[in-house]
Amino acid sequence: MAWFELQEKKTKIPGAKALWTVCGRCRKYVPNAEWKKNSSVCPECGYHGRISARERIALLADEGTFEELFADVGYSDHLNFHDASGAYVDKVEAARKKTGEGESVITGKAAMEGIGVVLGAMDFAFMGGSLGTGTGEKITRAAELALAERRPFILACASGGARMQEGIRSLMQMVKTSAAIGRLKEAGIPYVSILTDPTTGGVSASYAMLGDINIAEPKVLIGFAGRRVIENTIHQKLPDDFQTAEYLLEHGFVDRIVPRNEMKSFIVKMLNYFGF
Amino acid sequence: MAAKAKSAMDIVKLARAADRLHLRDYMALIADDFTELHGDRLVKDDRGLIGGFASIGGVKCLVLGHNKGSTLEENLESNFGMANPDGYRKAMRLMSLAEKFHVPVVTFVDTPGAYPGREAEERGQAEAIAKSLEFSAALKTPILVVITGEGGSGGALAIAVGDRILMLENAIYSVISPEGCAGILWRDGAKAAEAAEALKVTAPDLDALGVIDGIVPEGKTREETAANVKKAIVATLKHLSSIPVADLVARRYAKFRAM
């Protein structure tokens, strides 16, 4: 990064936050209203900023059709987990307060251009979108509902991976969700996975990579192991585009890269091809 | 005088010990025959995860396992039992064979984790693990999982979906290594012992959490430990083979559904 960009990053304009959003990539100041209108995509450089699960659902569901389900399913502190900075319960309660959500995913029924679907979206702002027992349970219930009602299941992923504060049972969510999605596929019901920034670790190594169609937003980070872990293991610098959506497309692991404002129409088109 | 109770970190060290029994040792000690089969039919033959047909106490089965190795040469060849995507795809290919010919599967889990490498990412480490979970959850033949050493996160889980999950007395199974967890949540990798305690990674802990079905005691000698593992495998496979396969798959789904 050039020195003047660093300078710009550090510059504080009093009250700026209230009026402007600073692009996470090109650092341009974009008026909040314009940023919002453009679905948090930078009009200058096309960077797809992180958005909340509710914003994601608003972009995908027909207006007023989202009916939230399984909202009562929450986390479980079966390990009574404490680390250096305190209790897991306190952290997860803080995440609830901050996001207004009960878990790192929200799930429900919705219509997309009139097609009845089961829709889920993960929220990275909720403990890094980590996969806890509540997250896994909601996604599994959503998949089972899609199976019971023969509705396509659309899930937008955003996660750093498993939630280590829930120990081994967070790992087990990878099996539970993948098994439920397997049943959906056996029954001929489409499952579409949307990979957003970031999708890594245990989430990429389970339901995120299992879509009949895997769609990624441009430039997002998708991978299993962290860049630094890999660099320390192989003692090599990795290319800049390593683990980007474009890199995964090139290596054959995503079907398409689709910009945010075209996501809904692309999914609807695919569902039409699948007979919905 | 009673021995001092082992800490979680003591058990982590035992699970990782270089002189612990590894897959090839088990095959030599408990199998009448082990015939390795190679390759994923796509890219290569991964050495971190190996498999083949075996006869254990007269029971024919497919054995899959992380190949940590007991000599430095073996360690290096197999990346210390850290599999590449090709290893998991080979495992799925062999599981298909087992399903086709109604042969039960036994997996030996012993890995620090899936290999974190550039080529591993390029060839879809995440997809290979994800597919393994989906695939083995619905496999129409019995699967017995034995966690013999280190059950390291997703790389272990990929071959740890089964009808029965057994764990050796001094094995561990965890969502993240104690060092990794300490580095993130304690911001100090040296706090691994505290992280190991908090994560609950030992066999009795996991038994209490309902994640495993039984603990295999370790003997005073390698032979004794291997014999205990053999006894557990033979008895469990005989039992699982008596269950109609549709029931087996339904129960396997329900087992993980409840976790």
Side-chain angles (χ1 to χ4, degrees):
Chain A
M1 191 182 283
W3 68 271
F4 51 87
E5 284 175 296
L6 280 169
Q7 284 299 111
E8 187 182 20
K9 204 171 157 188
K10 281 180 186 163
T11 307
K12 287 228 164 71
I13 301 172
K17 246 186 135 179
L19 297 170
W20 308 83
T21 299
V22 186
C23 171
R25 178 148 17 97
C26 74
R27 300 271 154 216
K28 282 267 163 14
Y29 283 78
V30 181
N32 277 343
E34 196 184 339
W35 184 263
K36 275 262 176 270
K37 208 180 106 208
N38 210 28
S39 311
S40 305
V41 176
C42 176
E44 286 292 328
C45 73
Y47 169 72
H48 280 53
R50 289 173 185 168
I51 58 174
S52 72
R54 297 277 158 193
E55 288 171 303
R56 177 75 55 188
I57 290 210
L59 289 169
L60 295 171
D62 295 346
E63 208 178 333
T65 63
F66 183 68
E67 177 198 341
E68 187 172 359
L69 295 166
F70 320 127
D72 56 323
V73 178
Y75 67 92
S76 145
D77 184 27
H78 48 274
L79 299 183
N80 185 24
F81 194 94
H82 288 70
D83 61 36
S85 59
Y88 166 52
V89 216
D90 294 335
K91 286 185 197 170
V92 75
E93 287 299 337
R96 285 183 153 187
K97 219 168 260 165
K98 181 176 98 177
T99 59
E101 305 296 350
E103 247 307 346
S104 61
V105 69
I106 56 179
T107 47
K109 290 193 212 185
M112 290 175 73
E113 304 290 355
I115 303 169
V117 300
V118 173
L119 185 58
M122 298 188 76
D123 204 316
F124 190 75
F126 193 105
M127 297 194 79
S130 54
L131 172 59
T133 51
T135 320
E137 179 66 22
K138 287 174 92 169
I139 290 169
T140 304
R141 286 195 199 182
E144 288 174 343
L145 174 69
L147 179 65
E149 300 193 355
R150 299 199 67 84
R151 286 165 173 255
F153 181 28
I154 319 295
L155 180 60
C157 303
S159 173
R163 188 177 299 163
M164 56 194 137
Q165 295 93 336
E166 293 196 21
I168 195 78
R169 284 185 58 202
S170 71
L171 195 70
M172 295 302 131
Q173 304 312 306
M174 293 168 62
V175 183
K176 186 163 106 178
T177 52
S178 300
I181 281 159
R183 285 191 158 189
L184 209 54
K185 289 189 193 168
E186 249 171 67
I189 297 160
Y191 165 55
V192 176
S193 173
I194 306 170
L195 305 155
T196 77
D197 199 48
T199 301
T200 61
V203 168
S204 73
S206 59
Y207 53 86
M209 275 292 162
L210 292 174
D212 292 308
I213 304 275
N214 291 335
I215 315 168
E217 286 194 324
K219 309 271 164 69
V220 302
L221 172 71
I222 307 164
F224 177 63
R227 171 186 280 266
R228 251 187 307 158
V229 173
I230 299 171
E231 286 183 338
N232 289 339
T233 305
I234 64 174
H235 307 294
Q236 276 176 41
K237 267 261 168 244
L238 293 163
D240 286 344
D241 70 339
F242 187 67
Q243 297 180 327
T244 58
E246 292 70 18
Y247 188 86
L248 267 87
L249 183 80
E250 185 192 332
H251 289 283
F253 291 98
V254 297
D255 289 272
R256 296 280 285 215
I257 294 171
V258 179
R260 189 169 288 166
N261 58 6
E262 295 167 25
M263 190 63 78
K264 181 177 179 178
S265 60
F266 175 75
I267 293 170
V268 168
K269 183 161 102 174
M270 293 318 297
L271 294 181
N272 287 333
Y273 274 119
F274 298 158
F276 285 84
Chain B
M1 200 177 91
K4 200 176 135 210
K6 287 190 283 259
S7 73
M9 204 57 200
D10 291 337
I11 295 176
V12 169
K13 284 176 187 152
L14 284 172
R16 291 172 177 170
D19 62 352
R20 196 171 173 80
L21 286 165
H22 297 121
L23 181 58
R24 288 199 186 279
D25 305 319
Y26 281 111
M27 289 301 99
L29 288 166
I30 70 173
D32 316 315
D33 175 60
F34 173 59
T35 303
E36 189 181 347
L37 297 174
H38 297 270
D40 64 351
R41 298 279 165 82
L42 294 164
V43 178
K44 66 192 292 188
D45 182 43
D46 185 57
R47 302 309 299 151
L49 202 167
I50 65 171
F53 286 89
S55 171
I56 298 174
V59 181
K60 291 188 183 99
C61 56
L62 171 74
V63 167
L64 294 169
H66 300 101
N67 177 33
K68 222 180 208 181
S70 300
T71 65
L72 186 61
E73 210 167 60
E74 286 176 341
N75 295 155
L76 293 176
E77 187 203 9
S78 71
N79 287 325
F80 291 83
M82 292 186 279
N84 277 288
D86 332 298
Y88 299 116
R89 293 189 181 117
K90 172 170 68 180
M92 284 188 267
R93 181 177 82 80
L94 295 177
M95 280 196 267
S96 293
L97 275 183
E99 180 180 61
K100 183 172 176 182
F101 299 111
H102 313 291
V103 177
V105 179
V106 184
T107 70
F108 287 72
V109 176
D110 187 14
T111 180
Y115 186 64
R118 176 179 175 162
E119 288 173 351
E121 295 285 322
E122 284 174 357
R123 294 201 297 271
Q125 188 70 284
E127 195 270 351
I129 294 171
K131 196 75 207 160
S132 298
L133 304 178
E134 185 188 340
F135 183 82
S136 45
L139 194 77
K140 295 186 187 73
T141 199
I143 306 175
L144 164 62
V145 176
V146 187
I147 300 165
T148 59
E150 266 184 288
S153 195
L157 186 68
I159 58 161
V161 178
D163 304 297
R164 290 287 183 280
I165 302 168
L166 304 179
M167 203 166 156
L168 267 80
E169 191 184 329
N170 294 315
I172 57 160
Y173 193 14
S174 182
V175 63
I176 185 168
S177 71
E179 291 81 2
C181 180
I184 299 168
L185 295 183
W186 275 259
R187 299 190 188 282
D188 180 1
K191 301 279 188 202
E194 284 165 60
E197 211 69 58
L199 284 166
K200 306 262 190 285
V201 299
T202 68
D205 284 337
L206 296 174
D207 196 28
L209 287 168
V211 168
I212 61 168
D213 300 295
I215 301 174
V216 181
E218 293 180 25
K220 288 196 181 68
T221 63
R222 292 160 75 85
E223 288 72 19
E224 214 179 300
T225 300
N228 290 345
V229 170
K230 179 177 179 176
K231 209 168 110 190
I233 290 175
V234 171
T236 311
L237 287 187
K238 280 191 175 152
H239 170 67
L240 291 176
S241 297
S242 72
I243 302 169
V245 79
D247 291 355
L248 199 68
V249 175
R251 285 185 214 175
R252 193 185 305 148
Y253 185 85
K255 176 184 177 65
F256 286 93
R257 182 70 189 82
M259 287 184 187

